Amino acid sequence: MSDRQDITLTVNGVPVRDNIEPRTTLLDFLRDQVGLTGTHAGCEHGVCGVCAVLVDGTPMRSCLLFAVQLHGAAVTTVEGLNQADGSLSPIQDAFCETHGMQCGYCTPGMLIAVHDLLAHNPDPDDEAIREAIGGTLCRCTGYGQIIEAVRLAAARLRQAVPAEDIDQ
Amino acid sequence: MSAGSFRQIGRKQRVREDRRFVSGDGRYVADIIFPNLAHVALVTSPHACARILAVDDSAALAAPGVVAVLWGDTLAAATKPLANSLDTPGVECYPLAVGVVRYVGEWVAAVVAETRQAAEDAAELIAVDYEPQAAVLTAETALDPASPPVHAGHGSNVLYNRTFVWGDVDAHFAEAAHQLGFRAVWRRNATVPLETFGVMARWHAGDGLLDVWASIQMPSYPEQIAGALDLKTSAVRVHYDVDVGGSYGVKRGIKHTVLVGHLTRLLGRPVRLIEDRLENLVGGDAHGPDRLFDVAVAYDDRGAIKSMRLRVVEDVGGHTGRAPLQLGKPVSAIVGPYRIASVAYEAIAVSTNKTGQTAVRGFGQAPTNFVIEMAIDKVARTLGLDRLAVRRRNFIPTEAFPYLIPSGSTYDSGDYHTVLDKAVALAGYEALEKKRDALRANGLLAGIGIATCLEPGGGNSAFEPLLNPKNKTTTWPESCRISVGRDGAVSAFITTSTAGQGHETLVATIVAEELDLPFDAIRVVHSDSLSGLPGNSPVASRMAIMLGGAATGAARKIRDQALAIAGRQLDREPTELELRDGFAQVKSAPAERIAWTDIAFIAHRFDHLMPAEQEPGLQASFVWQVPMGGALPSADGRVQMYPCYSFAAHIVLATIDPDTGVVALPDYAIAHDCGTVINPDIVKGMVLGGTAHGIGAALYETFLYDETGQLITGSFADYPMPSAHEVPDIKLVEHCTPSPHTSHGQKGVGEGGYLAAPAAIASAVNAALAVRGLEILTLPMRPVDLEALLNGND
Amino acid sequence: MKAAPFDYVRASDIDEVCRLLHDADGEAQIIAGGQSLVPLMAARMARPALLIDINRITALSGIVVEDGHLRIGACTRQRAVEQSAEAANACPLLTKAIGQIGHIQTRNRGTVGGSLCQADPASEIPLVAVTLGATLTVQGPSGERSLPAREFFYATMTTAMASDDCLTAVTFPVWQDRRVGSSFHEVSVRRGDFALVSAAAQLALDDDGVCRRAVLGLGAVAPCPIFLESASKALIGHTPTDDDIDRIAAMAVAQIEPDSDVHASADYRRRVAPKLLRRALNDALVEARSKPS
């Protein structure tokens, strides 16, 4: 039997401390220990991309990380993408506008992937959009309305930020 | 009835459910946690067919965190067998294997522990001594009377074999100028959602009540639970307010539910089983159609098809249930959109030692459309005629509706010629041909595919008695209850789970339309199975039709009550009044009006102002039997299957890399007709999403077994579902032929593009191969299949 | 799919890694990116008693070009190499190949060294390493040694490393020739899936268009990625024509004995490999010819 370990990390800006088995994936840790059920399990073997979170700002599959590995790291889940006042972010709002989801199960993973894309590429073409979401499966939408959401979100974000302020 | 005549129906409206999903606030079954929850992991069979000789769970029981181990014989003694839809009393299936295992992955024991991790650890410690037996691994073997029966009590591996003959097939074939025949294969696959099946059950001993939360999409789910656990239906409460992470037919988990239902009663604590992906793919009994078709058509010199023979063998696997009824659904559109005068339909279901089958999007219509379209293409190709022209020649013309097909269903409405014309225009067909030719000049194989396919919608229980005459059921309703609070707030209650179809949005739109209130003012609530009214779950492309109809019926009752109250206040006959923008007003003198909120307040608080004999409050229920339903099949198997028929034309350009066999789809255009569109975004999503499923079935997805019955494509690494790279941009255009049977002319669209896409892509790939004198009649058409076909003789 | 229990340690330096591996006597495994290892653990097909996490050892990360070589630390993320202009300049074949590994999120975490140690014959980095003749630096309890990539892989998923070795770096040769062309092609079922067949080519032309250097490789057609030595040599000294390319591709294939597996038959691989190699060669030539003399 393995020894449990102490870990401390930040989740959505909030410090979390726990004592867990090393085999606890970050996915299970977030859902079961931290109680954030927005991140979903699709396959638990790293293919579907539904479980994506940001680790120190970088999107990764949380089913392929053990929580103990994240000691000291900052993790952002889909809940962490929510605006503080409860209103929808431009990306969330765009997904609602174009109906870029149906059952919602892949949506957290999609939002994480899209958040990362638009943080680095404010004007992605369709190929860049497909590349960004290509590792996240959706079985409901056929991706069309998701791609529309990303285009819409990108346009709105570009409008909101004066061109000279965008980090090149 | 066109969209222009509605105030809210057909207009852009954000899908209400999306709001919680983008916040990570969905409520899926695995998100619902109770204190003292116990977790199940399964011990599964490594053999396709074996007798269980001995078992040893002592090490497992002693393992940390383990609460119990349950075996099949114990469970079978305490429960009734799972329901079968066919007349196969000798087939008894339980959640856990009893004495024999019938497929790799079949559940043998359930381990219950404090955590899923502990349950999996303990499951590894369970020892089972098997004696492997010869396995039946193909449909052909199963048809051989000498093959060992998968279900000994049934005596053979043929679960069902009936030939239906509608019209004078023999004479039509004898008289025809031409006939052709072919064999086609739809290899086993499924619409595999990203959320696996999960269920949690909690037994309240004091109340004698079983609460169930599940990721479910299944008719008669509470009834089947009650039946298996020997409970009254009033002792089972299924909570339908669980978000289902995709289903597309497959989430039927009855064995999962009976298992945890039994365990919670046994252990006195809530128990849950959330399938992991391996359990789901290998032993979850969620595989789809696995069909061998033999098709023959008789036609004339101009390609008009007079008669068709269709024989289908369906490999159902080791567990039965409802899935074999998928052989019945195609009877509802057995001639497709064509004026075929007679049909012989031989439907055979066989058992094999493979994973059990479930209903999949379209309930058997997608494979059937695949072969019907293959037949039309072959007729055209054989005669050297244009495939579009041959389809047009065969189409049921719009003036012929309602149109009775030989198998007894009447198609409600349609305009196939116009829809195809729209698809051709949208595709830019002539330019597409030039693009195809340019791609060919560049060394690729390229072809344009066409599919013109029906989507029967609305559901009907008719295939139950059709395939099992002992089951004389004809009822197939959906319900809605509306309650208006004293402040005028409207709540509508529906008795169904939702897996992304937007039922809350659907019902809010319809009720808002009927009561002329704002969309956002209508709350929609998922009832549970005790507080709800009869329903049949969102199968069969039925909810826009049936739930829409039920919501309309309930809303009109509310309207009538409200107008009666208003009439008394305004001293007018209710027939002089209408609801408009939150008021009841006199049609000819709108200034004479009373606010909705005042009407509601009167209903709840001012009995002295109420019309005579009207109940206090403002509430109504409507339970709606499926239109055109209610009849049993005739002796020769004719019956109205489904009430409504949507239609789509897909035109797709496919390329094949001749060296590698890889297919790309550079152009895709769809014209679709689902009658009145209630929510444009939802409809678009169904068409695009269904098409993506179809791309998967056509080019990528199949469950493959090796010669020992091991499922060798049993993880997501080996079961390739289309990503955003594999689904192209798809152009859409609509047409509307309203249904005369529904509340607002709407038809179904939930099965969407899935019913035409595989046929269209097969058509395109075969058009590309025809240049080399080759054809492929097996789906999926993977790179390795196409490359072997093209270059296998090198 | 919960992994079997294991003990976990975060190693602070490479010596500690080797010591832990040695003491565990085959029961320990290194976790770098985990993109291959963790799925196996989730399926309980890999069950290390001890997981040694090397992600915090900064000495194992880095992209450095010096002395005509591109040295990449074993724990460098694939995505970092993919996005490195320096790496693209020094070793364009590697950059072309890395972009085809999996998906962005797997490349965000997956490492160059992890891919090499996994030694999947269908994977991209081992094929590039073998084609270019990279050198792998390995540290064991008795010290550091260098292994040529072409001798590093010797059976399916098996390398020349001992169970107490730790890969620390891989060094790719940088071609200084002016007119270099490179190409990486793979066939997969979907974009990002592992290769059914892959081909790598890099060549250098002189000012007259004569080929002066050439390296060719094939992946997923053998237990290990293959450097096509005689086919590579056959290009040298010629101004390659279409016929040359055909001939060389056929020669290369004559060497290979692919296996059948659930994803593709041996025949598929045998037929597709020369065609893919031809494409890679062609593209490399076109690129090289486009460079100014």
Side-chain angles (χ1 to χ4, degrees):
Chain A
M1 187 47 65
S2 63
D3 289 336
R4 299 172 78 90
Q5 294 197 12
D6 290 332
I7 55 158
T8 307
L9 63 155
T10 336
V11 181
N12 299 332
V14 176
V16 172
R17 182 173 287 124
D18 210 323
N19 178 269
I20 55 169
E21 282 189 285
R23 64 165 161 177
T24 310
T25 59
L26 178 62
L27 171 63
D28 285 343
F29 180 76
L30 292 168
R31 291 181 54 80
D32 300 338
Q33 312 304 127
V34 186
L36 292 171
T37 56
T39 307
H40 301 145
C43 69
E44 294 183 294
H45 52 278
V47 178
C48 72
V50 150
C51 68
V53 297
L54 299 175
V55 175
D56 295 325
T58 304
M60 310 187 173
R61 287 147 162 49
S62 63
C63 73
L64 296 186
L65 292 163
F66 296 112
V68 287
Q69 294 185 276
L70 280 304
H71 184 63
V75 174
T76 308
T77 68
V78 63
E79 291 93 339
L81 301 181
N82 290 328
Q83 314 256 81
D85 65 357
S87 64
L88 294 177
S89 72
I91 296 176
Q92 290 170 319
D93 191 75
F95 270 76
C96 290
E97 178 62 23
T98 69
H99 190 43
M101 75 207 79
Q102 290 174 28
C103 79
Y105 203 71
C106 76
T107 304
M110 283 292 177
L111 290 172
I112 293 279
V114 171
H115 181 93
D116 179 64
L117 169 70
L118 296 180
H120 295 104
N121 184 349
D123 194 4
D125 60 14
D126 279 4
E127 198 186 314
I129 295 174
R130 283 201 152 88
E131 180 67 13
I133 64 171
T136 310
L137 294 176
C138 173
R139 282 298 252 180
C140 289
T141 65
Y143 307 101
Q145 288 151 303
I146 293 176
I147 293 171
E148 288 172 18
V150 181
R151 288 193 205 119
L152 179 62
R156 288 195 177 156
L157 285 168
R158 285 197 305 276
Q159 276 163 22
V161 180
E164 59 269 19
D165 289 348
I166 295 174
D167 206 24
Q168 295 296 349
Chain B
M1 225 185 311
S2 68
S5 66
F6 301 122
R7 292 165 65 77
Q8 305 211 37
I9 287 174
R11 313 243 168 246
K12 162 76 180 178
Q13 175 65 250
R14 285 199 180 187
V15 177
R16 169 177 298 184
E17 287 90 330
D18 293 356
R19 180 70 178 77
R20 64 178 181 270
F21 295 144
V22 295
S23 317
D25 225 8
R27 195 161 168 270
Y28 304 90
V29 63
D31 301 341
I32 305 169
I33 305 293
F34 285 100
N36 209 25
L37 181 62
H39 302 255
V40 174
L42 296 154
V43 178
T44 67
S45 167
H47 300 288
C49 183
R51 289 176 45 223
I52 299 172
L53 298 179
V55 303
D56 182 358
D57 57 11
S58 49
L61 286 167
V66 172
V67 176
V69 175
L70 182 68
W71 291 95
D73 46 4
T74 312
L75 183 62
T79 60
K80 303 266 191 306
L82 304 175
N84 283 331
S85 297
L86 296 176
D87 181 15
T88 51
V91 176
E92 277 194 358
C93 298
Y94 292 89
L96 302 175
V98 184
V100 296
V101 288
R102 295 192 173 94
Y103 51 97
V104 172
E106 181 171 17
W107 300 354
V108 176
V111 178
V112 189
E114 300 296 339
T115 65
R116 170 77 191 198
Q117 284 83 347
E120 288 191 23
D121 292 344
E124 289 192 306
L125 301 176
I126 294 213
V128 181
D129 195 10
Y130 296 98
E131 182 185 82
Q133 316 276 300
V136 176
L137 294 174
T138 66
E140 286 96 335
T141 313
L143 286 169
D144 181 349
S147 62
V150 172
H151 297 277
H154 185 69
S156 86
N157 287 316
V158 178
L159 295 173
Y160 184 80
N161 186 347
R162 179 172 173 185
T163 301
F164 301 86
V165 183
W166 302 296
D168 208 341
V169 174
D170 288 343
H172 292 159
F173 267 80
E175 292 156 3
H178 308 279
Q179 55 181 277
L180 63 81
F182 61 93
R183 167 163 282 203
V185 180
W186 175 282
R187 285 187 284 191
R188 178 178 275 243
N189 64 75
T191 44
V192 186
L194 291 177
E195 182 203 32
T196 61
F197 187 83
V199 55
M200 178 171 64
R202 182 174 65 178
W203 172 251
H204 303 264
D207 295 329
L209 183 60
L210 182 72
D211 273 308
V212 176
W213 295 262
S215 183
I216 190 69
Q217 180 201 14
M218 173 143 85
S220 301
Y221 180 54
E223 291 83 353
Q224 288 179 67
I225 299 169
L229 294 174
D230 202 18
L231 294 169
K232 288 188 163 32
T233 54
S234 57
V236 176
R237 179 166 58 189
V238 174
H239 295 262
Y240 289 118
D241 58 349
V242 175
D243 287 316
V244 177
S247 177
Y248 340 103
V250 311
K251 292 249 177 95
R252 302 292 165 119
I254 187 62
K255 71 175 181 183
H256 311 54
T257 306
V258 171
L259 177 65
V260 300
H262 171 79
L263 285 168
T264 181
R265 271 202 297 186
L266 182 72
L267 301 172
R269 57 193 288 190
V271 179
R272 87 173 191 184
L273 166 58
I274 309 292
E275 283 177 332
D276 70 20
R277 187 53 68 182
L278 298 181
E279 284 163 344
N280 167 260
L281 290 175
V282 184
D285 292 344
H287 287 192
D290 182 354
R291 295 188 172 186
L292 201 57
F293 288 96
D294 286 303
V295 184
V297 286
Y299 56 100
D300 69 15
D301 290 330
R302 299 177 69 238
I305 299 176
K306 187 76 181 265
S307 186
M308 178 169 70
R309 289 199 175 101
L310 187 59
R311 176 180 185 264
V312 52
V313 182
E314 173 87 283
D315 178 348
V316 162
H319 260 212
T320 56
R322 192 174 177 79
L325 295 179
Q326 287 177 117
L327 288 171
K329 153 76 172 275
V331 172
S332 67
I334 197 74
V335 296
Y338 308 121
R339 280 182 293 185
I340 300 172
S342 63
V343 179
Y345 179 60
E346 184 182 1
I348 305 169
V350 297
S351 295
T352 59
N353 292 109
K354 292 187 199 158
T355 306
Q357 199 180 63
T358 187
V360 164
R361 194 170 197 167
F363 210 52
Q365 194 63 45
T368 309
N369 288 346
F370 157 61
V371 298
I372 293 173
E373 292 303 286
M374 183 72 60
I376 273 260
D377 272 3
K378 277 176 162 289
V379 166
R381 189 162 291 127
T382 308
L383 291 174
L385 297 174
D386 175 65
R387 293 169 296 162
L388 292 169
V390 171
R391 282 177 169 80
R392 289 189 176 112
R393 189 158 300 134
N394 279 282
F395 275 160
I396 299 159
T398 191
E399 57 270 14
F401 288 92
Y403 180 85
L404 176 65
I405 66 171
S407 54
S409 284
T410 297
Y411 293 172
D412 56 343
S413 64
D415 186 353
Y416 305 149
H417 290 87
T418 301
V419 175
L420 181 57
D421 289 344
K422 283 189 172 178
V424 167
L426 182 67
Y429 201 87
E430 280 182 29
L432 202 63
E433 286 176 311
K434 293 197 170 70
K435 182 168 178 178
R436 175 203 61 196
D437 295 341
L439 290 163
R440 285 176 176 173
N442 260 342
L444 289 172
L445 297 172
I448 296 171
I450 306 156
T452 46
C453 298
L454 289 177
E455 175 181 356
N460 192 329
S461 55
F463 44 68
E464 291 183 48
L466 183 70
L467 266 58
N468 181 359
K470 289 183 183 161
N471 179 5
K472 293 192 189 318
T473 181
T474 54
T475 311
W476 195 258
E478 198 56 47
S479 310
C480 183
R481 178 172 72 84
I482 298 176
S483 178
V484 182
R486 92 165 59 153
D487 59 348
V490 179
S491 301
F493 298 84
I494 62 178
T495 314
T496 181
S497 58
T498 302
Q501 306 96 323
H503 299 135
E504 294 166 37
T505 304
L506 164 74
V507 170
T509 304
I510 294 237
V511 175
E513 177 79 43
E514 289 296 314
L515 300 180
D516 213 49
L517 292 170
F519 171 84
D520 290 327
I522 314 296
R523 174 174 298 284
V524 181
V525 177
H526 294 259
S527 298
D528 59 64
S529 62
L530 285 188
S531 61
L533 295 165
N536 274 300
S537 91
V539 298
S541 285
R542 67 187 289 270
M543 283 316 215
I545 295 164
M546 293 304 298
L547 185 54
T552 302
R556 288 180 183 169
K557 284 186 180 179
I558 297 275
R559 176 199 62 197
D560 292 346
Q561 292 173 31
L563 293 183
I565 294 170
R568 217 191 121 167
Q569 292 312 295
L570 298 173
D571 198 21
R572 292 277 194 163
E573 289 303 312
T575 49
E576 298 177 80
L577 305 175
E578 64 182 358
L579 290 175
R580 180 54 51 96
D581 285 331
F583 289 86
Q585 64 193 33
V586 178
K587 290 180 205 174
S588 57
E592 280 181 55
R593 63 187 194 175
I594 174 172
W596 173 264
T597 46
D598 290 337
I599 293 170
F601 199 81
I602 290 169
H604 281 279
R605 299 296 282 167
F606 295 153
D607 183 69
H608 57 284
L609 298 181
M610 287 289 278
E613 311 298 326
Q614 189 157 316
E615 287 180 1
L618 196 53
Q619 58 282 319
S621 300
F622 195 80
V623 182
W624 196 38
Q625 162 69 342
V626 63
M628 307 284 285
L632 288 167
S634 63
D636 63 346
R638 287 196 290 153
V639 68
Q640 179 73 37
M641 276 284 192
Y642 281 28
C644 305
Y645 290 80
S646 300
F647 175 75
H650 287 216
I651 295 181
V652 57
L653 174 63
T655 61
I656 314 173
D657 181 326
D659 292 339
T660 63
V662 173
V663 172
L665 304 174
D667 282 86
Y668 208 125
I670 299 175
H672 66 96
D673 175 2
C674 60
T676 301
V677 168
I678 295 169
N679 182 296
D681 290 339
I682 291 177
V683 168
K684 179 172 171 179
M686 289 298 151
V687 176
L688 294 179
T691 300
H693 264 139
I695 291 172
L699 297 174
Y700 299 99
E701 299 175 37
T702 184
F703 292 113
L704 287 173
Y705 286 81
D706 71 11
E707 65 284 353
T708 69
Q710 300 292 325
L711 179 65
I712 53 182
T713 53
S715 82
F716 274 9
D718 303 318
Y719 188 85
M721 298 177 288
S723 77
H725 292 297
E726 284 75 46
V727 182
D729 281 341
I730 298 171
K731 297 185 288 199
L732 300 175
V733 67
E734 259 171 37
H735 189 64
C736 177
T737 58
S739 174
H741 304 312
T742 62
S743 61
H744 300 84
Q746 71 274 29
K747 299 176 178 175
V749 75
E751 286 155 356
Y754 187 64
L755 298 195
I761 297 166
S763 173
V765 167
N766 277 293
L769 291 172
V771 169
R772 296 261 190 110
L774 297 168
E775 69 175 4
I776 182 165
L777 299 173
T778 297
L779 298 187
M781 304 170 289
R782 304 167 305 163
V784 293
D785 302 312
L786 290 168
E787 193 279 339
L789 181 65
L790 286 162
N791 306 320
N793 294 318
D794 288 359
Chain C
M1 291 177 75
K2 311 299 180 189
F6 55 86
D7 281 318
Y8 169 84
V9 61
R10 261 171 238 121
S12 8
D13 57 56
I14 299 162
D15 288 332
E16 185 186 358
V17 174
C18 294
R19 198 170 51 247
L20 287 165
L21 283 169
H22 183 77
D23 292 345
D25 195 28
E27 295 299 311
Q29 269 196 277
I30 288 170
I31 184 164
Q35 305 300 286
S36 301
L37 177 61
V38 181
L40 291 172
M41 293 176 70
R44 301 199 177 205
M45 283 159 51
R47 314 171 67 108
L50 172 68
L51 210 58
I52 306 166
D53 190 334
I54 61 169
N55 286 285
R56 312 237 176 190
I57 304 176
T58 47
L60 287 175
S61 278
I63 301 170
V64 177
V65 180
E66 67 187 6
D67 297 335
H69 289 95
L70 168 66
R71 187 178 202 275
I72 302 178
C75 216
T76 309
R77 307 292 172 198
Q78 292 160 6
R79 186 74 168 155
V81 176
E82 183 186 355
Q83 296 185 311
S84 159
E86 219 184 358
N89 211 43
C91 197
L93 181 62
L94 179 64
T95 302
K96 285 166 184 163
I98 276 197
Q100 305 198 40
I101 302 175
H103 299 280
I104 290 175
Q105 291 184 21
T106 64
R107 300 198 293 276
N108 279 342
R109 186 73 183 175
T111 63
V112 172
S115 177
L116 287 162
C117 294
Q118 180 72 6
D120 189 322
S123 60
E124 292 79 354
I125 297 174
L127 176 57
V128 172
V130 150
T131 301
L132 291 176
T135 305
L136 283 72
T137 310
V138 169
Q139 180 144 334
S142 42
E144 189 181 271
R145 62 194 196 285
S146 290
L147 299 170
R150 293 174 187 159
E151 293 163 29
F152 186 73
F153 308 98
Y154 68 89
T156 309
M157 318 291 264
T158 317
T159 71
M161 294 194 343
S163 65
D164 52 5
D165 280 333
C166 178
L167 180 71
T168 58
V170 56
T171 306
F172 295 90
V174 176
W175 288 16
Q176 306 296 347
D177 315 65
R178 239 193 349 265
R179 304 181 78 204
V180 175
S182 62
S183 171
F184 190 94
H185 277 261
E186 69 173 65
V187 187
S188 56
V189 173
R190 293 171 303 176
R191 183 81 177 271
D193 286 343
F194 48 80
L196 301 177
V197 180
S198 52
Q202 181 159 306
L203 46 81
L205 303 177
D206 67 18
D207 291 344
D208 300 319
V210 176
C211 179
R212 289 300 165 202
R213 288 172 84 173
V215 285
L216 306 173
L218 283 174
V221 296
C224 312
I226 306 176
F227 168 57
L228 300 164
E229 187 164 0
S230 32
S232 302
K233 281 205 180 95
L235 277 167
I236 295 172
H238 300 276
T239 308
T241 63
D242 284 347
D243 284 343
D244 288 330
I245 292 171
D246 286 349
R247 190 174 41 84
I248 283 157
M251 174 195 306
V253 171
Q255 298 179 238
I256 64 169
E257 282 178 15
D259 279 327
S260 291
D261 61 25
V262 59
H263 304 112
S265 65
D267 285 341
Y268 179 89
R269 295 185 155 113
R270 200 177 295 113
R271 289 191 298 259
V272 175
K275 295 168 182 170
L276 215 60
L277 187 60
R278 199 186 303 134
R279 288 182 192 182
L281 247 180
N282 252 324
D283 288 353
L285 260 176
V286 165
E287 185 180 25
R289 284 179 180 146
S290 75
K291 302 272 173 74
S293 319

